[in-house]
Amino acid sequence: MGRHRAWFGSVAVAAVLVLTSAVQAGPAAAAPSAGCGSAPGLASGTHTIQSGGQNRTYILRLPANYDQNHQYRLFFGFHWLNGTANDVDSGGTDGYNWSYYGLRRLADGAGNGTIFVAPQGLNNGWANSGGQDVTLVDDILRQLQAGLCIDTTQIFAGGFSYGGGMSYALACARASVFRAVAVYSGAQLSGCAGGTQPIAYMGIHGLTDNVLGIGLGRGLRDTFVRNNGCTAQNPPEPAQGSRSHIVTAYSGCRAGYPVVWAAFDGGHTPGPVDGGGDGWRTWTSGEVWKFITQFQSSDPDPDPEPEPGACRVSDSVNAWNSGLTAEITITNTGTAAVNGWSLVFTLPAGQTITSGWNASYSPTSGQVTARNVAYNPGIPPGASVSIGFQAGHTGNTAEPTSFTLNGAPCTVV
């Protein structure tokens, strides 16, 4: 992730810029936007908009075969300090695979209807002085909803570092507009006007982050643990030196307002890879995609969305007295190619994966995510890929259950 190295030296300066926005949260209507049913008024590319008396810009990315009669999910991706909207949209040196923190690839791979937008911060940051960056988001939303068909109940935001701070500011100030936010290695850098309403929240942070320490990320998380009525806890975090991650969903949260905390043994990066390093093959993309796609759309006919049967899974288990092997075949039954995949399944109680092939597996028990390796990221329509693992067991030798591929439920045969 050489494209991100400018983050480390400069974002530390921003860590002291804790600014407060004076903008109040506005209501969100559970209805299609005004642009539904009309020819699109905006196209993919860079757009200029007047906001707060200044010319501001953003990059818009529409899905292929945009349908003016379908209500689309909308995701705002915010860049880091000294990054740019183009870095978020283009994916930097990792290109399409890391566009919008890897979410665009997963949306396309699932045949999913999602609109992506990357605003450009002033001075390549998100100081949000006087609430001007929240106002920019308001103005962009107004323009997008007038010109495109958007599901107003499915608006999300996410960003890394200073972009995480901006996403947190929106969680505070626009909790009734945004359905959920994902904050990668963030801190309160862009203010928190309001900050008392519930919103679905996911925080991701490294144990050894020496730019914005993990305590800052825990503090952001705890705001919405309280707001969402979740049961207070100290979620488990991996041991230093383990080069692993642990994802925890808080219990007791208000229905529809989950809080998820993902801690990893690593530093200041949005793309940690278990075992060391960072890059687009990170687990964070799949976890964030799973988080934001759990929410129900208000669209009565969401045809481009993933439905049961978008993938098909067959699995078999060969067990002995203390161990077993499992073979899983994943078939893409959709109409679009899958380019990079994450298969989530539930391992029966008492089973623990000890080794695997044709995929990486984490964690090794409970709800497991199997991710493609370097040589098998693509599954064309109608094609299959086979993976497998060896596991120990304590008597339960049942097959895995509850399969989803890139957020789409799979049919098990």
Side-chain angles (χ1 to χ4, degrees):
M1 277 198 174
R3 64 190 181 285
H4 299 317
R5 297 307 176 199
W7 298 336
F8 302 122
S10 54
V11 74
V13 177
V16 300
L17 301 177
V18 182
L19 302 172
T20 303
S21 167
V23 182
Q24 298 300 312
S33 64
C36 292
S38 301
L42 296 163
S44 294
T46 301
H47 297 266
T48 300
I49 187 171
Q50 274 281 320
S51 180
Q54 297 176 295
N55 284 328
R56 303 290 299 267
T57 62
Y58 65 91
I59 298 175
L60 177 66
R61 184 68 60 176
L62 299 181
N65 302 316
Y66 170 84
D67 178 358
Q68 65 198 36
N69 296 311
H70 170 71
Q71 298 174 43
Y72 287 90
R73 176 187 294 113
L74 175 63
F75 182 86
F76 278 77
F78 293 95
H79 62 76
W80 47 95
L81 180 62
N82 290 333
T84 66
N86 186 64
D87 291 328
V88 173
D89 179 76
S90 70
T93 56
D94 284 335
Y96 172 77
N97 287 320
W98 191 238
S99 178
Y100 294 90
Y101 299 101
L103 301 184
R104 183 176 157 216
R105 169 177 53 87
L106 296 181
D108 291 348
N112 187 277
T114 301
I115 295 170
F116 292 95
V117 60
Q120 176 61 46
L122 295 172
N123 301 313
N124 292 351
W126 299 105
N128 193 30
S129 301
Q132 62 184 344
D133 291 325
V134 172
T135 298
L136 170 66
V137 171
D138 291 342
D139 292 337
I140 293 173
L141 267 173
R142 191 175 301 111
Q143 190 172 81
L144 296 183
Q145 290 176 349
L148 299 171
C149 191
I150 293 169
D151 182 344
T152 61
T153 68
Q154 296 286 292
I155 300 173
F156 302 88
F160 166 66
S161 197
Y162 217 158
M166 185 61 203
S167 301
Y168 177 76
L170 290 170
C172 292
R174 295 293 182 268
S176 57
V177 174
F178 284 81
R179 185 66 185 84
V181 300
V183 175
Y184 302 76
S185 305
Q188 188 172 319
L189 305 174
S190 307
C192 177
T196 60
Q197 294 178 276
I199 185 172
Y201 185 90
M202 182 172 190
I204 302 168
H205 220 109
L207 297 177
T208 57
D209 190 329
N210 62 0
V211 178
L212 298 172
I214 192 170
L216 298 173
R218 293 177 186 135
L220 303 189
R221 171 203 69 195
D222 290 346
T223 296
F224 293 101
V225 170
R226 292 188 297 271
N227 292 357
N228 297 6
C230 308
T231 303
Q233 61 175 282
N234 291 315
E237 296 176 350
Q240 290 196 23
S242 66
R243 293 303 179 192
S244 63
H245 72 281
I246 297 177
V247 180
T248 301
Y250 273 73
S251 61
C253 303
R254 287 178 52 182
Y257 295 98
V259 172
V260 172
W261 176 245
F264 62 91
D265 179 35
H268 194 63
T269 174
V273 174
D274 285 350
D278 56 13
W280 72 268
R281 292 182 177 85
T282 178
W283 51 269
T284 64
S285 302
E287 291 293 343
V288 172
W289 182 245
K290 180 172 67 174
F291 180 70
I292 68 174
T293 56
Q294 70 182 295
F295 303 105
Q296 295 298 309
S297 170
S298 66
D299 186 348
D301 184 24
D303 43 46
E305 302 292 332
E307 299 175 352
C311 60
R312 184 174 66 244
V313 167
S314 62
D315 61 340
S316 61
V317 169
N318 179 28
W320 58 94
N321 57 352
S322 61
L324 59 84
T325 59
E327 295 276 355
I328 300 172
T329 299
I330 310 162
T331 302
N332 177 9
T333 58
T335 59
V338 173
N339 298 304
W341 50 265
S342 295
L343 182 74
V344 179
F345 58 87
T346 299
L347 205 62
Q351 295 185 15
T352 303
I353 295 174
T354 55
S355 62
W357 52 93
N358 294 344
S360 63
Y361 298 86
S362 66
T364 56
S365 61
Q367 187 178 72
V368 178
T369 300
R371 297 177 177 83
N372 68 270
V373 288
Y375 54 80
N376 64 358
I379 313 177
S384 302
V385 64
S386 294
I387 64 174
F389 59 84
Q390 181 169 320
H393 68 82
T394 57
N396 186 349
T397 61
E399 298 172 345
T401 59
S402 304
F403 293 91
T404 62
L405 181 68
N406 292 351
C410 297
T411 300
V412 179
V413 297

